[in-house]
């Protein structure tokens, strides 16, 4: 059952959104809030439920339960769709028509002026090939046409699902710059991706989805958490005792000869002093530096995709327990 | 609102016009009508010979009979071609994934579907006109070649036959649309549609002459009603012919046939629209 959840500051409000396919739960009681004017990153591994969620927000799929509102109207309603530009998964157009003619078809459906077609084609740098049949386009060109189609209505909300798929590195950089540019002003962008760098570069806020549920939400900095002092030593248990007793230190964890030292503020502890104390006790210090979890390691930990990237156990890195920290982030 | 509706139908016509398959079906329809109704009878029966001129087949090749001759193709291969057109128009949208593109624009699903159905309906007008134009030209050629004076059928009978032909094509196109929506594609829909059109209805209709309880069922078949409709208008093909296009009944009245066919269009398109509206687009 879908009902409106209206909040003028929020462009998208989804509450307890759930989609089941028999025994399979594709989206599980998802709460999602996207604020007006922000670029929101929807980050999750393949199969996490990102596209299913976006389809529900566009009215392509009906939720099994939960409520959602898009621009103050029911998902998929004319009131909502008239203000939403979208590209879901692979762009789909008529293969026998040119890129330009495909946009003419959509312009007639949306009521957008046909003069807008030239503008959006230029915006995505596709004007030179616009009159070629869509079936001759490379995947990157198809992506560009998909974004052009999404922009046709000059929408208040842009929903883009993996928009850099199939683009070469230069194309990816251009597309990211374009999305960032499109997200300025009042326009809101909801960007789905599994690429950490993309989300990190483009998005104001990030929601991480895993197994159909939102497991964290906040800015990139909030998700990465505070910095800690990383010290690689030869006698970790002794070193831990020494460092734990120092002024300003709030917690110390040890893992395979590496200490992670946390403080209330970075200025509360002095790395040179700690180094001196350890060396004075005859402990060899091999490495000492400020460290912060990468978004990738946070992502892998949150989504349960261990075995890649940073293998430092997150619960150790954050003495209060990582999930507790994330719950706090969720309410930022 | 009205202007947007017109715009939607016009772009659907635009994209259908640019599809090669639309033109292939159009050409196939005209060629089949010419071949089966004029070329084959003229060559095989040698109706142009002195003995052949005395046969009834020769008379059927004359211009005054082209409406009755060409009408007989609508319930048979015309239906199969219209079914394929209906399947391709709707089923390809599933294959290309373009439903999601269209359904995330402003209009609702029913409006998008209605625009497509209106476009099919309009496209079927030239399909209906084509075979009669082919018949007029071919019969004139035969008459000229055989030195027979040309006499034309009345304008009213031509228009009635075109309208009846359009209704028959529309029913079969609606069957194609329904199958495409149910199977969410083209291949299975075309296979099932042709099997039903050419085999199942034909066989059951044939058995209905021997099994009495089958007759009421056969009376509501598309094939029976389509043949009945063209027969009521004077069509001579089908009933006396042999081969896959042969149809020996049961026949119903022309009015009943027209009503049943119109009901079929509404029911098939209604179910299709309902399914399209309530199903997820994945």
């Amino acid at each position: 059952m879908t009902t409106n959840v209206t909040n003028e500051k929020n462009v998208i409000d989804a509450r307890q959104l759930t989609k089941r396919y028999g025994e399979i739960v594709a989206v599980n009681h998802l709460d999602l809030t996207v604020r007006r004017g922000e670029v929101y990153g929807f980050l999750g591994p393949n199969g996490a439920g990102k596209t299913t969620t976006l389809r529900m927000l566009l009215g392509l799929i009906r939720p099994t339960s939960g409520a959602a509102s898009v621009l103050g109207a029911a998902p998929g309603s004319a009131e909502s769709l008239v203000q939403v530009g979208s590209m879901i998964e692979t762009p789909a157009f008529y293969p026998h028509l040119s890129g330009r003619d495909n946009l003419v078809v959509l312009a007639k459906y949306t009521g957008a002026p046909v003069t807008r077609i030239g503008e959006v084609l230029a915006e995505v740098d596709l004007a030179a090939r616009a009159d070629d049949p869509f079936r001759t386009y490379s995947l990157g060109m198809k992506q560009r046409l998909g974004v052009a189609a999404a922009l046709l209505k000059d929408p208040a909300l842009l929903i883009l699902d993996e928009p850099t798929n199939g683009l070469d590195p230069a194309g990816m950089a251009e597309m990211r710059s374009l999305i960032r540019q499109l997200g300025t002003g009042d326009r809101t962008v909801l960007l789905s991706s599994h690429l950490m760098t993309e989300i990190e570069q483009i998005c104001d806020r990030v929601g991480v989805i895993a197994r159909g549920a939102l497991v964290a939400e906040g800015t990139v900095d909030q998700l990465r958490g505070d910095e800690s002092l990383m010290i690689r030593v030869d006698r970790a248990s002794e070193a831990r005792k020494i460092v734990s007793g120092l002024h300003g230190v709030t917690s110390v964890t040890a893992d395979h000869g590496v200490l992670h030292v946390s403080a209330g503020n970075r200025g509360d502890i002095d790395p040179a002093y700690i180094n001196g104390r350890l060396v004075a006790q005859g402990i060899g210090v091999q490495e000492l530096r400020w460290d912060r979890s990468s978004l990738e390691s946070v992502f892998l930990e949150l989504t349960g995709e261990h075995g890649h990237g940073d293998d430092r156990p997150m619960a150790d890195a954050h003495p209060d327990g990582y999930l507790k920290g994330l719950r706090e982030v969720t309410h930022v | 609102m009205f202007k947007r509706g017109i715009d939607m139908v016009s772009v659907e016509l635009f994209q259908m016009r640019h599809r090669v398959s639309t033109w292939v079906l159009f050409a196939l329809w005209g060629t089949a009508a010419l071949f089966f109704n004029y070329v084959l009878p003229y060559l095989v029966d040698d109706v142009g010979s002195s003995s052949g001129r005395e046969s009834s087949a020769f008379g059927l090749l004359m211009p005054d009979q082209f409406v009755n001759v060409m009408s007989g193709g609508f319930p048979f291969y015309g239906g199969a071609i219209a079914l394929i057109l209906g399947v391709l128009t709707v089923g390809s949208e599933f294959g290309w994934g373009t439903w999601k593109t269209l359904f995330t624009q402003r209009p609702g699903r029913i409006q998008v579907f209605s625009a497509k159905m209106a476009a099919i309906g309009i496209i079927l007008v030239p399909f209906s006109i084509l075979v009669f134009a082919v018949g007029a030209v071919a019969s004139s050629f035969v008459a000229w070649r055989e030195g027979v004076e040309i006499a034309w059928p009345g304008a009213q009978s031509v228009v009635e036959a075109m309208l009846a032909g359009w209704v028959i094509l529309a029913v079969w196109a609606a069957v194609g649309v329904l199958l495409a929506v149910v199977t969410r594609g083209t291949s299975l829909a075309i296979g099932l549609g042709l099997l039903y059109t050419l085999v199942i209805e034909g066989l059951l209709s044939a058995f209905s002459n021997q099994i009495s309880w089958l007759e009421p069922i056969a009376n509501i078949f598309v094939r029976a009603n389509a043949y009945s409709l063209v027969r009521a208008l004077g069509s001579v093909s089908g009933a006396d012919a042999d081969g896959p296009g042969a149809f020996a009944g049961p026949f119903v009245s022309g009015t009943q046939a027209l009503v049943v066919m119109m009901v079929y269009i509404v029911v098939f398109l209604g179910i299709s629209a309902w399914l399209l509206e309530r199903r997820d687009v994945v």
Side-chain angles (χ1 to χ4, degrees):
Chain A
M1 174 67 103
T2 305
T3 55
N4 286 0
V5 182
T6 307
N7 181 331
E8 284 191 2
K9 280 173 70 178
N10 297 336
V11 169
I12 296 174
D13 256 321
R15 296 285 169 262
Q16 299 294 298
L17 215 52
T18 301
K19 182 64 182 179
R20 289 175 183 276
Y21 295 100
E23 294 295 305
I24 298 167
V25 184
V27 176
N28 191 10
H29 296 94
L30 182 92
D31 287 336
L32 181 69
T33 303
V34 179
R35 299 169 190 155
R36 189 175 299 279
E38 72 178 355
V39 179
Y40 186 96
F42 202 33
L43 186 63
N46 293 332
K50 300 189 297 292
T51 301
T52 305
T53 303
L54 299 186
R55 284 177 184 272
M56 283 194 280
L57 294 175
L58 288 165
L60 293 171
I61 291 178
R62 284 184 176 78
T64 308
S65 62
S69 162
V70 178
L71 291 155
S77 65
E79 298 77 26
S80 160
L81 290 177
V82 72
Q83 303 175 74
V84 181
S86 62
M87 185 180 78
I88 302 297
E89 287 186 316
T90 312
F93 294 98
Y94 293 112
H96 52 284
L97 296 185
S98 68
R100 190 187 305 279
D101 285 343
N102 268 293
L103 295 185
V104 169
V105 171
L106 297 186
K108 294 290 183 185
Y109 267 105
T110 60
V114 178
T115 51
R116 176 104 179 107
I117 292 171
E119 295 169 22
V120 295
L121 284 169
E123 209 160 358
V124 299
D125 199 19
L126 197 62
R129 292 288 306 274
D131 295 313
D132 293 343
F134 176 72
R135 64 172 172 268
T136 65
Y137 284 10
S138 66
L139 183 56
M141 291 166 69
K142 289 176 179 173
Q143 293 289 111
R144 287 169 195 274
L145 187 65
V147 174
L151 293 173
L152 206 55
K153 289 181 263 188
D154 195 12
L157 169 64
L158 203 51
I159 296 178
L160 300 174
D161 188 13
E162 313 270 5
T164 55
N165 260 1
L167 297 181
D168 57 26
M172 287 172 97
E174 278 175 35
M175 183 64 79
R176 286 169 186 165
S177 162
L178 174 66
I179 294 168
R180 187 67 257 184
Q181 183 193 325
L182 292 170
T184 55
D186 267 354
R187 181 181 282 141
T188 309
V189 179
L190 171 56
L191 171 72
S192 153
S193 180
H194 63 271
L195 301 175
M196 260 71 69
T197 48
E198 191 163 285
I199 294 289
E200 214 161 358
Q201 287 170 21
I202 300 175
C203 299
D204 301 318
R205 281 199 313 139
V206 182
V208 181
I209 185 172
R211 291 173 293 280
L214 198 70
V215 292
E217 189 179 52
T219 64
V220 171
D221 281 345
Q222 286 168 337
L223 287 178
R224 289 175 65 185
D226 293 330
E227 284 182 307
S228 64
L229 190 65
M230 190 280 279
I231 312 170
R232 190 179 301 279
V233 291
D234 56 7
R235 301 206 304 274
S237 59
E238 274 181 60
R240 184 180 183 181
K241 282 178 193 163
I242 294 166
V243 175
S244 296
L246 296 178
H247 177 72
V249 173
T250 56
S251 71
V252 181
T253 60
D255 178 46
H256 295 95
V258 176
L259 303 184
H260 288 280
V261 183
S262 298
N265 291 301
R266 182 169 162 162
D268 290 349
I269 53 176
D270 179 1
Y273 176 72
I274 293 174
N275 182 45
R277 287 294 301 270
L278 291 172
V279 171
Q281 297 297 319
I283 295 170
V285 177
Q286 291 137 5
E287 189 181 359
L288 185 148
R289 61 180 164 84
W290 286 104
D291 188 30
R292 195 177 206 181
S293 302
S294 67
L295 187 59
E296 183 182 23
S297 66
V298 174
F299 172 80
L300 294 171
E301 180 66 26
L302 286 168
T303 57
E305 308 235 327
H306 300 285
H308 310 285
D310 188 352
D311 57 0
R312 177 158 55 99
M314 207 49 77
D316 285 353
H318 298 266
D320 291 340
Y322 202 74
L323 290 177
K324 182 180 175 188
L326 288 172
R327 276 197 293 276
E328 288 166 4
V329 169
T330 304
H331 295 295
V332 168
Chain B
M1 187 71 176
F2 180 73
K3 186 186 177 304
R4 175 147 314 121
I6 298 289
D7 282 348
M8 285 159 59
V9 175
S10 70
V11 289
E12 283 304 325
L13 286 170
F14 171 78
Q15 74 91 2
M16 285 178 76
R17 238 182 19 244
H18 281 75
R19 256 189 108 170
V20 174
S21 63
T22 306
W23 292 102
V24 168
L25 291 173
F26 191 70
L28 192 64
W29 170 224
T31 307
L34 175 68
F35 192 73
F36 292 127
N37 291 308
Y38 287 94
V39 176
L40 274 186
Y42 188 73
L43 295 178
V44 174
D45 294 341
D46 195 21
V47 292
S49 67
S50 55
S51 59
R53 277 174 171 254
E54 305 303 319
S55 71
S56 59
F58 181 77
L60 290 176
L61 297 180
M62 293 299 107
D64 63 335
Q65 290 295 318
F66 84 84
V67 170
N68 295 336
V69 168
M70 287 308 215
S71 295
F74 283 90
F76 179 36
Y77 46 86
I81 286 171
L83 181 137
I84 295 170
L85 181 74
V87 169
L88 291 180
T89 304
V90 170
S92 299
E93 303 276 348
F94 290 99
W96 295 327
T98 37
W99 281 128
K100 79 176 175 196
T101 306
L102 296 178
F103 288 166
T104 48
Q105 307 307 316
R106 188 179 182 173
R109 296 184 185 191
I110 297 296
Q111 285 96 318
V112 173
F113 179 73
S114 301
K116 287 195 178 295
M117 294 309 101
I120 292 178
I122 293 169
I123 288 275
L124 288 179
V125 172
F127 269 74
S128 184
I129 293 171
L130 173 71
V131 282
F132 293 109
V134 167
V137 171
S139 60
S140 302
F141 176 78
V142 173
W144 167 76
R145 191 178 157 87
E146 299 299 327
V148 178
E149 194 176 339
I150 293 176
W152 295 107
Q156 187 184 341
S157 66
V158 176
V159 173
E160 283 175 353
M162 282 180 183
L163 290 174
W166 182 89
V167 170
I168 293 165
L169 295 182
V171 173
W172 282 114
V175 173
V177 167
L178 178 60
L179 287 170
V181 171
V182 168
T183 63
R184 301 185 209 217
T186 54
S187 308
L188 184 60
I190 288 177
L192 288 175
L194 292 181
L195 183 73
Y196 179 77
T197 310
L198 301 178
V199 180
I200 296 174
E201 276 206 358
L203 285 175
L204 289 177
S205 297
F207 279 116
S208 71
N209 290 332
Q210 295 147 26
I211 305 171
S212 60
W213 60 266
L214 266 180
E215 192 172 336
I217 299 169
N219 278 345
I220 58 165
F221 281 163
V222 178
R223 188 181 170 99
N225 284 277
Y227 272 111
S228 299
L229 187 60
V230 295
R231 190 193 198 208
L233 294 173
S235 171
V236 293
S237 296
D240 305 322
D242 293 324
F247 184 76
F251 290 100
V252 297
S253 73
T255 307
Q256 184 186 327
L258 184 61
V259 171
V260 170
M261 300 290 269
M262 298 305 283
V263 169
Y264 271 135
I265 294 175
V266 173
V267 170
F268 292 155
L269 295 187
I271 295 171
S272 304
W274 179 75
L275 285 173
L276 213 52
E277 171 68 14
R278 76 180 279 278
R279 275 179 171 177
D280 287 344
V281 179
V282 291

